[in-house]
């Protein structure tokens, strides 16, 4: 069994499904330990449906979204940890940052997936991306919970695709082939019953990114997930 | 023997040495067939030294630069083809484009290295980069010298580092570890006797890119070459 | 009477006069209900004059600016609400955000006017723009003060022109013809007695934006106000 | 009958179908005279299929593409004029520029549709966009074929969506609702038999742009076409 | 008498007056030899007025603009050389480039003023800027008309302000105080009788750039000219 | 003795040495009063070495870094003031902002040096740059600690070079010649014993910036420091 792991830092439950569900399922299948840090339950912004029920309480809505998120994570093969950091707006605390730093050090992930750096439609997304990066940096610091025996190296960061990529100045430089896990990703969509209008939208996104992935390499790809790698890649060979 | 190949499209002889000498030597060592398309002899802009000789002719200067370029290419392990397309300014013709298209089809390179897209200090550089890209694109066209049996897929493009990277809006996203061929690259510098003032400059560039390569990955690197990959990468795994 | 409305979110009183006075007066004249959310009184940064009076207190300065702002709003035909969020620096609280969300929901504005996203001369401006956008987004959230009967749709956002547009990366894509309300805007300038040095400056800005507005369309315009529309426009016809 | 018109300047036949077919059909239906300036037949780059036929000649391929383009233009309700300016690479001449200037003056279009300003996958596209803009500008010049009685005003320019928008730095700011002509656009796809692999791709693009169009306005839209308006819009009202 | 000089490379006669008239007059007054390379007579694009005269010929229009340009240059204190490179569109030849290179070498200017790098309203402007830069670079080349005794160092480049700065991605980083020559610049405006509509426009530009110049430094300035310096400045002291 | 002064706002002690040590020493030598506002001791991020000592306390680490920073400041000729604002992450308070505003007013610096506006490797750096700018702006405000006799004018801001300039979108437009103080800067490196791996790195940076400084001006320079000037410069002469 591989001891590699991958970390996903997401503002809301829907995000890890639509934007990174393929990467999660694919690496889980390859034996990576996949961990999702889910900052909010999406209890205010993603839950229009739930709020239509007369007299529903915030705790009920949160519980519903939590159950969905757990089911989706399980299906994709990931462990999920909730931070309950607020939704619309997301307001991370120092304690949340602290816990996320610990996760980086515990998991020593081989890569981190998070939101685009800008999103004029949803300010929770850049807040999550900022937190993911800040924790990644502080985790390097020798003087934060010092332990001279610790080894930690900041992992590469990949931004996943926002809803309207051009408006977020998202420029993909990586397309992940998710053909072998597509069916799992699609099943995870269907757990998000309240956002049924997005199932077909993100199926089309996956198909069009697949065409682009094939066109950029000459190798066939049906379903793709687009990412923007943030830091330079060190290579031993260019092809 | 590997049948893979790599193509370098360069405006002047110095460029392939300073900017891509490590990649050429490294891939040659790995068994790639490395081919340099050298658009001009650098007979006007890079040859201050030669022109100090009283009565020297253009043909003599070209011959001198050609000899240097051939020696450097040989040392690095590459084949070189000259296009004599003019220098300061470089003015490619349709015939030169046509020949470069043929080279793409003959070599089917696994990658192409060329200049940054902008360079306010040297307009020959973006002209070369444009030509390299145009030939890469036209080579895909079924109706250019049609041959239904031909297989060709446009290779990834890497821009090599210009002299003043920030002024050229060059943003490296790839750092190639050239430790195992550094000595060869440095020897190639010394063939360029007229540009002795740049030997140490580009040694320092290689050392500092090496530090950055190590810092971005946690894996040690002493000498690096920085590149900007131009098209999205299709991947099967993120780490 | 029109039931349409427009919302202006401004850091300081001067801003809504110099930058959006034409739009306010024009839409008020067309029957829009115009509402100004004025985050601070500009009591520290815009009030050099007031502070020259020996022994003047903060409350006196605020009262003076408030009176000016009310007079200007009235002249332009708008209602104004003050938030007293601090000036130099502006520090919005969660309560201020909450009230602004309520305003979006109450007014259901057809458009929002606010500051440019960057301003290296005045950090209160991007803070105001961020707040205006965050409130606009949270107002969409079903779970914020839930009410299933509520209808709300996030309005288009227009950024008004900063003092030094190029330094703020402000790129106007909309020029509003304010010819028919120019005299009112100019009168509003004169209410801002302490900033007399800007009356002619912003008269010239209006005239030059007018020339540009005419040049971009072929239709005459004398006085213009420049805006940067932030989100895509959905159209039924291109001309 | 309306006397308004619209002009489309396209490098290849496929482009006006995939990228602007909705706008053409929609405005034709509204009574606009729609004119397509088709710079090449796409005889080399878009015609892989045709070149698979043994012994086929360039003239036969061109004739085939021309017939397809005429059929598609007719279906969409547009007149088409061919320039035969070469393909892969497109090389416009001064005579072509001159004819295009005449078209601007004859048609006095209310809008112009053309390619994105950058396209690293296809250099013919920015060449066409540049030509469309240069002709638009020169048409304004009093001294080009002088005629003091002439009235001409440079129309707004909309860039249509390239194949991989983010790689072309294409940022849509306009989404045209093409619901009422979608069936016609889709039928036009099917005339392009050789590019069957793109039918579904561009159907998905239209559906996803439709979702985005609705999301940016709150008004429902099923099929959209994305455009980037290039010059500021002069308005009399913001909503 | 100073032996310093300055060079202005301009597409059309109007440009050196509106955009650089202050710098020309100011440096002339300081004793600089000021040289204007005027690439076209503006005989097609800037001469609407002239073409209204029935039966006027191209040669008459050119002669009229030439006379105006000479008068304006003389008033500002500069020498002017015409290149007659065409107008709308400007099409420089290799001979024009060659002459411009000679001028750089003859004048050894301390600075060069030319157009912004982009201008979607006027493609002659970036063509002129490109030519100015290409000549500046080739003039450095030892092998162009070799002469080992020659000393030449490429001068700093300042881009002058286009008509609609934000649309040209023009970002001023230098504001020249032209107070002491303003009256001369204004008089030069009045030589351009056909463009009377621009006299007040560019007076307002000068006044507003003056306000900005004062605001960025705390030192009073009434009339300013904005420039974008293109290359890094080497300094011995920061203040 | 000059009464001019310069201010340096730095996140960590290392930064003022590597990035601005030359400017500090140079201006100190010219008689400027140089003041360093050192926001943190770098006690967590820059002190790997110190934390390897078993049982070391935070206070001991801070004291060690403070001693080093004081020694380096003294050697460079500057006064240093510590803010102890936290490290990894840096979290400035309103009290720290207030003190920094006072410093601007006390020092009336002729220039300010601070960090680049972005740094994905170290979020403390943009936080420091933001604070430096906010204090500079608020210091202008008449209503902050009002005193009608006060004279203060916001000084020019220069961003110093980050560790990986292209990744921080740092674009140098100023290269300071530090030849005459190089030895002092190099000695200051050696005070930072824990970061010995950076001594040679930043020596190479200085040498390469020196080459670039010479190349941009034709005047020789051996050691340079690169800066990005943030606001327009008002000039009386262009050369």
């Amino acid at each position: 069994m591989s001891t590699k792991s991958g970390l996903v830092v997401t503002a809301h439950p829907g995000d890890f499904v639509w934007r990174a569900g393929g990467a999660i399922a694919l690496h889980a299948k390859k034996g990576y330990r996949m961990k999702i840090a889910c900052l909010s339950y999406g209890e205010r912004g993603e839950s229009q449906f739930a709020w239509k029920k007369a007299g529903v309480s915030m705790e009920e809505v949160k519980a519903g979204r939590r159950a969905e998120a757990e089911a989706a994570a399980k299906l994709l093969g990931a462990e999920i940890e909730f931070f309950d950091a607020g939704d619309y707006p997301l307001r991370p605390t120092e304690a949340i940052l602290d816990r996320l730093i610990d996760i980086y050090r515990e998991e020593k992930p081989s890569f981190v997936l998070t939101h685009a750096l800008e999103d004029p439609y949803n300010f929770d997304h850049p807040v999550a991306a900022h937190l993911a990066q800040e924790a990644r940096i502080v985790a390097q610091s020798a003087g934060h919970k010092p332990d001279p025996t610790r080894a930690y190296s900041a992992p590469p960061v990949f931004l996943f695709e926002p809803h309207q990529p051009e408006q977020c100045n998202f420029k993909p430089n990586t397309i992940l082939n998710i053909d072998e896990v597509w069916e799992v990703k699609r099943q995870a969509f269907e757990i998000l019953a309240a956002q049924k209008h997005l199932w077909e939208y993100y199926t089309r996104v996956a198909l069009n990114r697949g065409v682009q992935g094939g066109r950029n390499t000459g190798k066939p790809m049906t379903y793709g997930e687009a990412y923007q790698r943030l830091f330079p890649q060190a290579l031993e060979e260019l092809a």
Side-chain angles (χ1 to χ4, degrees), chain A residues 197-215:
Chain A
H197 59 294
L198 293 177
W199 299 359
E200 292 308 317
Y201 185 88
Y202 282 106
T203 298
R204 291 189 299 261
V205 166
L207 282 163
N208 281 15
R209 292 301 185 189
V211 171
Q212 293 173 12
R215 188 157 160 152

Side-chain angles (χ1 to χ4, degrees), chain A residues 20-214:
Chain A
I24 297 169
L26 181 69
H27 290 86
K29 197 175 165 194
K30 288 181 193 291
Y32 282 67
R33 204 172 54 252
M34 293 302 300
K35 169 97 184 196
I36 300 164
C38 188
L39 298 175
S40 91
Y41 296 112
E43 64 270 16
R44 305 213 309 173
E46 281 183 5
S47 307
Q48 296 93 315
F49 223 66
W51 291 105
K52 290 188 178 152
K53 196 175 136 198
V56 74
S57 73
M58 182 61 82
E59 286 319 302
E60 287 172 287
V61 175
K62 283 186 181 181
R65 295 311 314 272
R66 181 183 174 120
E68 272 182 24
E70 282 173 335
K74 188 175 173 191
L75 178 66
L76 294 170
E79 183 188 332
I80 188 164
E81 181 168 335
F82 297 97
F83 287 73
D84 198 9
D87 181 41
Y88 271 62
L90 182 70
R91 296 283 193 240
T93 59
E94 295 289 341
I96 286 172
L97 173 62
D98 188 76
R99 173 65 195 136
L100 195 55
I101 297 165
D102 285 351
I103 291 176
Y104 272 92
R105 289 179 166 181
E106 291 163 15
E107 295 293 334
K108 296 182 178 47
S110 295
F111 58 86
V112 182
L113 311 181
T114 192
H115 289 272
L117 304 186
E118 301 174 47
D119 191 339
Y121 297 98
N122 193 318
F123 281 12
D124 294 354
H125 293 169
V127 167
H130 192 276
L131 186 78
Q133 287 196 79
E134 191 166 55
R136 170 184 175 273
I137 290 170
V138 178
Q140 289 178 295
S141 147
H144 175 86
K145 302 185 183 172
D147 172 3
T149 67
R150 184 177 50 234
Y152 168 81
S153 177
V157 178
F158 294 88
L159 310 178
F160 42 62
E161 176 165 354
H163 190 65
Q164 297 191 46
E166 300 97 342
Q167 306 306 320
C168 302
N169 293 322
F170 175 79
K171 190 165 178 176
N173 53 24
T174 303
I175 299 179
L176 184 70
N177 184 337
I178 58 167
D179 285 358
E180 60 173 295
V181 295
W182 168 252
E183 286 309 320
V184 181
K185 177 167 181 176
R186 173 70 201 207
Q187 287 165 34
F189 284 8
E190 302 188 6
I191 291 172
L192 303 178
Q195 292 170 290
K196 196 165 181 175
H197 59 294
L198 293 177
W199 299 359
E200 292 308 317
Y201 185 88
Y202 282 106
T203 298
R204 291 189 299 261
V205 166
L207 282 163
N208 281 15
R209 292 301 185 189
V211 171
Q212 293 173 12

